[in-house]
């Protein structure tokens, strides 16, 4: 299991920050974020699957992902898209995060029944640090609505990262 180094925190009202230590080498944790087959194994909270994951992993490249649960959104996929802004191999990934339709067109959060003041374009920064064969990963998700929505995003990310830890242990 991953070792949370602290609970999700907000750095400013609209930024979620999560630190995790994974019992896996940095290269493998990096691959889990950059390889579509690996990402499909952990993307989405507990009880969700990731039926689609397309990653064009280069600066300016796009990603399109779907997560789906029979208990949420009437069983329909929730799509997200983004553009990679910065890639420093094995150290840092920065990408935009937007709600989307199945074609990758940006849509408002309200299309998925979500309320709150979501930024049209959120930004996710993931950093990776080698810790003697383990990996410290820090995730910053900027542009989330304060309050209930940021708390829900924290729960969702932590459940996804739990699944990531399980997939890394099985790799």
């Amino acid at each position: 299991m991953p070792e949370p180094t602290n609970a999700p925190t907000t750095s400013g009202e609209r930024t979620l920050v999560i630190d995790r230590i994974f019992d896996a080498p940095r290269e493998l944790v990096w691959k889990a974020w950059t390889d579509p087959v690996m990402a499909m194994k952990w993307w989405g909270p507990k009880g969700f699957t990731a039926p689609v994951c397309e990653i064009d992993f280069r600066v300016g490249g796009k990603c399109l992902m779907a997560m789906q649960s029979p208990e949420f959104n009437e069983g329909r996929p929730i799509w997200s898209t983004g553009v990679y802004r910065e890639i420093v191999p094995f150290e840092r990934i920065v990408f935009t995060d937007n709600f989307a339709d199945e074609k990758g067109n940006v849509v408002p959060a309200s299309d998925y029944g979500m309320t709150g003041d979501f930024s049209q374009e959120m930004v996710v920064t993931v950093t990776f640090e080698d810790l003697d064969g383990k990996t410290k990963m820090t995730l910053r998700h900027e542009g989330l609505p304060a309050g209930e929505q940021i708390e829900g995003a924290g729960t969702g990310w932590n459940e996804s990262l739990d699944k990531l830890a399980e997939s890394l242990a099985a790799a």
Side-chain angles (χ1 to χ4, degrees), residues 88-108:
V88 179
F90 308 109
E91 293 181 15
R92 180 179 169 98
I93 302 169
V94 180
F95 59 96
T96 61
D97 180 34
N98 306 282
F99 290 99
D101 63 18
E102 69 278 356
K103 294 177 183 156
N105 299 308
V106 174
V107 300

Side-chain angles (χ1 to χ4, degrees), residues 15-33:
T15 301
L16 175 73
V17 180
I18 300 173
D19 288 322
R20 287 288 187 103
I21 297 176
F22 294 100
D23 191 10
R26 178 169 55 172
E27 294 78 12
L28 184 59
V29 179
W30 175 269
K31 187 176 179 184
W33 279 88

Side-chain angles (χ1 to χ4, degrees), residues 14-158:
R14 298 173 56 92
T15 301
L16 175 73
V17 180
I18 300 173
D19 288 322
R20 287 288 187 103
I21 297 176
F22 294 100
D23 191 10
R26 178 169 55 172
E27 294 78 12
L28 184 59
V29 179
W30 175 269
K31 187 176 179 184
W33 279 88
T34 61
D35 177 88
V37 174
M38 287 188 74
M40 289 175 73
K41 294 178 182 177
W42 66 269
W43 191 262
K46 183 179 177 181
F48 281 74
T49 60
V52 176
C53 179
E54 299 172 7
I55 296 176
D56 178 9
F57 192 65
R58 60 186 174 83
V59 173
K62 293 184 178 183
C63 59
L64 176 65
M65 299 177 159
M67 61 180 183
Q68 185 172 15
S69 166
E71 287 82 38
F72 190 79
N73 197 38
E74 300 175 354
R76 295 174 303 183
I78 299 170
W79 294 87
S80 62
T81 190
V83 175
Y84 292 100
R85 288 185 171 174
E86 180 183 351
I87 298 170
V88 179
F90 308 109
E91 293 181 15
R92 180 179 169 98
I93 302 169
V94 180
F95 59 96
T96 61
D97 180 34
N98 306 282
F99 290 99
D101 63 18
E102 69 278 356
K103 294 177 183 156
N105 299 308
V106 174
V107 300
S110 59
D111 279 17
Y112 292 108
M114 298 192 187
T115 59
D117 183 24
F118 279 90
S119 297
Q120 185 70 17
E121 181 177 89
M122 297 172 279
V123 176
V124 177
T125 302
V126 186
T127 59
F128 306 83
E129 181 183 342
D130 180 47
L131 295 177
D132 296 321
K134 294 183 179 186
T135 304
K136 178 182 178 185
M137 188 206 79
T138 300
L139 179 141
R140 292 180 53 87
H141 195 163
E142 299 174 64
L144 293 162
E148 225 177 87
Q149 295 294 344
I150 201 167
E151 291 170 16
T155 299
W157 272 117
N158 274 303

